[in-house]
């Protein structure tokens, strides 16, 4: 598998995801600067977490209009897998590659902590190494992760199985108490219609190493490598 | 020409910041305040002198960048 | 020479006084200049000679602190201290206050405090790897406390989260004595290769002086003099001088500077912190024995019509000054343009020994560098020792409320409650190397792509410092050293942030002198030198001073992260052993203050030889696998320490075995040099302690879902957790 990580000037999880990919792939991912308009063919494009261009207007809004993003959108259209984590998820909603949007957390505060999320399906490139309905522990770190979409969009998402992850308790129960940010239907991640594009708020790259307190994020990357190699 | 864009949340979209402001106003003793909605104002000057063209430009800016039309409405004011 | 450019205002002793200069200082200025200074020159003197920049009240005493050791590469005097961490790497760190700005505008004050300390560290060539914050607020019931706490925490998060440096530790405390002057002390730790450390001394006639980063605006003018004056009721009117931070630009600046530092282009580099362009250019020229000529027309400005006075004194954030090797300008410009940052050559080094400022072809300022730097006033302010207090006799205390109830109450006090509400607003995991997260004794950050780590913590017990400054100063250092030791790390060195009231009052100066004496003794005994620091004086409002607060930021090294231990009880059936001697010292304790409502008594004595012996023993045992969890005992003593370990591990414990010390003193006394540990083999641990001359006693075992403290005195973990976890969140939601 070949992977590219898009590096925006305010990205700050680019190195973290680079390390996780390197460990899973056994080779370096391509690091692509945001001013590039073309780069080598890859099987996976990652939009990493951070504050792309400061996020002063709306998170991910300026990144969604950056030079490199046209190319990302073009390749996503051709079926290349795209993964947006946190700020990357915000970019994906701003470009329309996945539906909905991410608003300020319901209690208005930034939140950084481990949360449990339920894997809605193992039938995707990204979740093949998990069981359906498995609860995995992955950290979130965001100020704007409150997933919103109108009722029709939500209904369509559910019908097509586009909800990837939901916030849950340690046993996998999707409860209001387990929702850290006010997201509708506890949604933590969504796919596009073909499940080749995934945006999620939690950071699997942050718990892919037992030294850091857990490795529930590791199968995420291992599964991608297996699916795309 | 000066342009001023008001970006506000659409009706029906939860506005936690607006809610917080409303609660804070209540706590400060300003009773009877309801339906607080917050938004932002973006100002800039334009070289375009033709109001119709200017409006079309700003409209495109709003669609493309300044507002997230999934959740936000916008209103444009132009001053010659 | 022309004074046409906004230097028109005639300079009089009255104007000098408005700039915070005394009559004697103004006379000295006239001597040095040989004429009356113009307004620009006076402004430069005033910031360079402010307490904040010149350390004029504290210098005499700071010089007495130990600053050397085989681990020290660079002690105080640069932007930050540098210590050797082996394998060709160094740790570079410093702590700095942003107290006054944070009180006036908490979000921006705290945010720019974080930005400033980050620049101090990456200026020297280090990639910042961790931030810590020691915060002190007024009484919870004070009407401003909630607003200040919310703003400061949001500001620290807003800045640190965006630049992508994890905020991994610190302290949050409350006391009515901070009602009018909160403390925001920010610390950054960075890592740099030992052969690529950058300093501020600039030499070489003709070399270009380069300005990079954000543009200069009118913000923060006279921040340095504001930080050197007491507050009165009008201080909130000073709001316009507070700077606004731009963490995104800071992130760009970090990356651009580190990219340039990988080349050989930089001769010297200095961040523009307090007193902005003035102090950075003076510092570089003075240290390098050079002169400097600046063309102020070239300074990138955000606003039109800025005067030389405003440009030289602006404290706009996210700016750096560099001297480059001639011929490397284009290389450097290319890097800064790649990151969309301003880059301007604004002057040259000269051999005149003077700072010459030009604008519109005119000379608007001309000052001698060395005399200004060297003649900066140094005061031996009169000081008065703090009268000693007597010990508190445990037997004289009122009838207690029972140990379990007391413990539950203490765990829900503002000082001892869980600070999760705070640190969950900080991204403490970005960079994916945070091995020990906030909430333990020390945070631990892995050295990237290695199995080694840096341990770090901040400590101070202000109520001890007030009761007995010398003991308090020693205790702050000792507790820092213990916190680093408790995770298994070797303590290396400290940075200090000295927060005090008005030094012109002898009793305040006496607190400062006493704390320094205690710190000196402890740093020497523990081989724990001071490599950087900051002083914040005049923390007073309407004559009411803060508690003396010398915050110690400590850094240590773990060579093998597989040997790291935490404070959480590792599960049931572990032997719980108390290391160190318990006399039951209750004077100036949290128990006495928060349960008995009495802040009397002397703080616990600090036996530095015992600290060293006990700590070295604990560390060796951790490394040998003889200890499976470890927690330093401090505020609240044994009972609070055990409760914290139990909550962190989700496991109860029984320590009900009879003791010789009266129960309250035994459980809540704050004797120093103690650690609470668990061991897979208590017999071996006790035998080793005996051999090492270290007091150790088997207290009981872990297990169950409650803490059993004494016969019939038990409390469930669930009840304890509710009390401990909820106080701060409820308080901030207005329910506290």
């Amino acid at each position: 598998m070949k992977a590219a990580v898009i590096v925006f000037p305010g990205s700050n999880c680019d190195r973290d995801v680079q390390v996780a990919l390197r460990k899973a792939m056994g080779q370096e991912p391509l690091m692509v600067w945001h001013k590039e308009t073309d780069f080598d063919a890859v099987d996976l494009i990652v939009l990493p977490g951070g504050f792309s261009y400061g996020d002063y207007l709306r998170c991910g809004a300026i990144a969604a209009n950056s030079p490199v993003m046209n190319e990302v959108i073009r390749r996503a259209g051709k079926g290349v897998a795209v993964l947006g984590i946190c700020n990357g998820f915000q970019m994906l909603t701003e470009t329309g590659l996945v539906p909905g949007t991410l608003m300020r957390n319901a209690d208005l505060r930034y939140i950084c902590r481990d949360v449990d999320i339920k894997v809605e399906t193992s039938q995707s490139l990204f979740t093949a190494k998990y069981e359906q309905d498995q609860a995995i522990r992955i950290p979130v770190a965001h100020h704007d992760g409150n997933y919103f979409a109108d009722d029709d969009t939500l209904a369509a998402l559910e019908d097509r199985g586009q909800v990837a992850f939901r916030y849950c308790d340690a046993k996998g129960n999707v409860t209001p108490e387990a929702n850290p940010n006010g997201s509708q239907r506890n949604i933590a991640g969504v796919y596009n219609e073909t499940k080749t594009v995934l945006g999620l708020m939690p950071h699997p790259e942050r718990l892919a190493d037992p030294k850091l307190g857990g490795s529930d994020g590791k199968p995420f990357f291992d599964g991608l490598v297996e699916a795309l190699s | 020409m000066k342009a001023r864009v008001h970006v506000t949340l659409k009706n029906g979209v939860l506005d936690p910041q607006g809610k917080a402001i409303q609660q804070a106003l209540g706590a400060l003793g300003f009773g009877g305040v309801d339906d607080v909605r917050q938004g932002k104002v973006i100002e800039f000057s334009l070289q375009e002198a033709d109001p119709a063209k200017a409006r079309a430009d700003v409209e495109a800016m709003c669609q493309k960048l300044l507002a997230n039309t999934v959740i936000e409405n916008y209103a444009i004011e132009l001053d010659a | 020479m022309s004074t046409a450019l906004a230097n028109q205002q005639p300079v009089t002793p009255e104007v000098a006084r408005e700039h915070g200069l005394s009559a004697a200082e103004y006379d000295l200025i006239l001597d040095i200049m040989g004429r009356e200074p113009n307004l620009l020159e006076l402004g430069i003197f005033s910031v360079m000679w402010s307490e904040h920049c010149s350390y004029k009240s504290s210098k005499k005493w700071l010089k007495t602190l130990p600053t050397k050791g085989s681990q020290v590469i660079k002690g105080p005097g640069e932007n930050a201290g540098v210590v050797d961490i082996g394998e060709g790497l160094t740790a570079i760190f410093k702590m700095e206050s942003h107290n006054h700005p944070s009180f006036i505008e908490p979000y921006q004050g705290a945010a720019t405090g974080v930005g400033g300390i980050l620049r101090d560290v990456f200026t020297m060539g280090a990639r910042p790897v961790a931030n810590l914050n020691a915060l002190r607020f007024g009484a919870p019931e004070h009407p401003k406390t909630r607003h200040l706490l919310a703003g400061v925490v949001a500001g620290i998060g807003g800045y640190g989260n965006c630049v992508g440096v994890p905020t991994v530790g610190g302290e949050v405390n409350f006391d009515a004595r901070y009602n009018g002057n909160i403390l925001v002390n920010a610390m950054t730790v960075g890592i740099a290769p030992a052969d690529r450390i950058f300093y501020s001394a600039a030499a070489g006639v003709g070399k270009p002086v380069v300005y990079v980063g954000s543009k200069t605006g009118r913000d923060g003018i006279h921040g340095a003099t504001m930080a050197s004056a007491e507050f009165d009721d009008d201080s909130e009117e000073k709001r316009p001088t507070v700077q606004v931070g731009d963490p995104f630009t800071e992130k760009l600046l970090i990356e651009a500077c580190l990219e340039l530092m990988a080349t050989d282009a930089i001769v010297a580099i200095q961040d523009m912190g307090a007193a902005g362009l003035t102090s950075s250019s003076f510092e570089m020229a003075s240290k390098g024995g050079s002169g400097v000529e600046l063309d102020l027309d070239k300074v990138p400005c955000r606003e039109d019509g800025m005067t030389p006075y405003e440009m030289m004194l602006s404290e706009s954030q996210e700016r750096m000054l560099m001297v480059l090797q001639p011929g490397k300008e284009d290389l450097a410009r290319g890097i800064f343009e790649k990151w969309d940052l301003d880059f301007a050559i604004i002057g040259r080094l000269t051999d005149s020994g003077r700072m010459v400022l030009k604008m519109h072809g005119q000379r608007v300022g001309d000052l001698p560098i060395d005399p200004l730097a060297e003649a900066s006033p140094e005061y031996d302010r009169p000081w008065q020792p703090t009268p000693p207090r007597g010990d508190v006799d445990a037997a004289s205390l009122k009838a207690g409320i029972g140990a379990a109830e007391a413990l539950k109450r203490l765990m829900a006090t503002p000082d001892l409650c869980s600070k999760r509400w705070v640190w969950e607003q900080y991204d403490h995991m970005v960079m994916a190397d945070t091995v020990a997260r906030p909430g333990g004794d020390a945070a631990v950050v892995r050295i990237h792509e290695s199995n080694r780590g840096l341990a770090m913590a901040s400590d101070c017990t202000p109520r001890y410092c007030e009761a007995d400054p010398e003991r308090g100063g020693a205790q702050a250092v000792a507790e820092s050293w213990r916190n680093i030791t408790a995770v298994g790390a070797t303590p290396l060195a400290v940075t200090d942030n000295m927060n005090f009231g008005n030094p012109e009052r002898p009793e305040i100066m006496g607190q400062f002198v006493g704390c320094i004496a205690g710190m000196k003794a402890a740093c020497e005994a523990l081989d724990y030198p001071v490599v950087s620091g900051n002083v914040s004086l005049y923390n007073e409002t309407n004559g009411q001073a803060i508690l003396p607060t010398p915050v110690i930021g400590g850094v240590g090294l773990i060579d093998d992260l597989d040997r790291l231990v935490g404070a959480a009880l590792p599960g049931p059936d572990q032997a719980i052993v108390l290391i160190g001697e318990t006399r039951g010292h209750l004077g100036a304790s949290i128990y006495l203050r928060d349960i008995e409502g009495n802040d009397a008594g002397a703080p616990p004595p600090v036996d530095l030889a015992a600290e060293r012996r006990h700590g070295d023993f604990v560390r060796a045992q951790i490394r040998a696998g003889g200890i499976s969890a470890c927690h330093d005992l401090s505020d609240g003593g044994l009972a609070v320490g055990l409760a914290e370990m139990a909550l962190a591990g989700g496991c109860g414990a029984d320590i009900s075995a009879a003791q010789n010390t009266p129960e309250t003193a035994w459980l809540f006394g704050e004797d120093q040099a103690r650690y609470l540990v668990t061991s897979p083999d208590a017999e071996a641990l006790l035998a080793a302690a005996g051999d090492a001359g270290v007091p150790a006693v088997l207290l009981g075992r872990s297990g169950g879902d409650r803490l059993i403290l004494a016969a019939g005195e038990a409390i469930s973990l669930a009840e304890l957790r509710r009390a401990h976890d909820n106080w701060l969140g409820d308080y901030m939601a207005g329910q506290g």
Side-chain angles (χ1 to χ4, degrees), chain A residues 22 56 112 206 209 211, chain C residues 246 424 427 446 449 562:
Chain A
R22 180 197 303 145
Y56 293 130
C112 176
R206 290 192 182 185
D209 175 353
K211 271 274 169 349
Chain C
D246 177 358
E424 281 191 348
D427 188 341
R446 178 169 59 188
E449 295 188 322
D562 296 333

Side-chain angles (χ1 to χ4, degrees), chain C residues 384-397:
Chain C
Q384 199 175 293
T386 302
R389 295 188 189 175
D391 281 333
V392 170
D393 177 8
S396 73
L397 298 180

Side-chain angles (χ1 to χ4, degrees), chain A residues 9-12 15-16 22 33 35 51-54 56 109-114 139 206 209 211-212, chain C residues 161-162 164 246-248 251-252 338-339 421 424-428 431-433 437 446 448-449 562:
Chain A
S11 293
N12 59 31
R15 190 187 77 177
D16 306 353
R22 180 197 303 145
W33 185 237
K35 290 181 186 172
F51 290 72
S52 46
Y53 294 89
Y56 293 130
R109 291 194 300 274
Y110 188 96
I111 181 160
C112 176
R113 73 156 86 119
D114 290 349
R206 290 192 182 185
D209 175 353
K211 271 274 169 349
L212 301 178
Chain C
N161 299 346
C162 181
D246 177 358
F248 175 59
K251 162 80 175 155
L252 305 183
K338 169 185 162 192
W339 290 95
W421 185 90
E424 281 191 348
Q425 294 184 61
Y426 304 150
D427 188 341
H428 48 268
M431 298 182 92
D433 280 317
R437 299 183 189 178
R446 178 169 59 188
H448 194 56
E449 295 188 322
D562 296 333

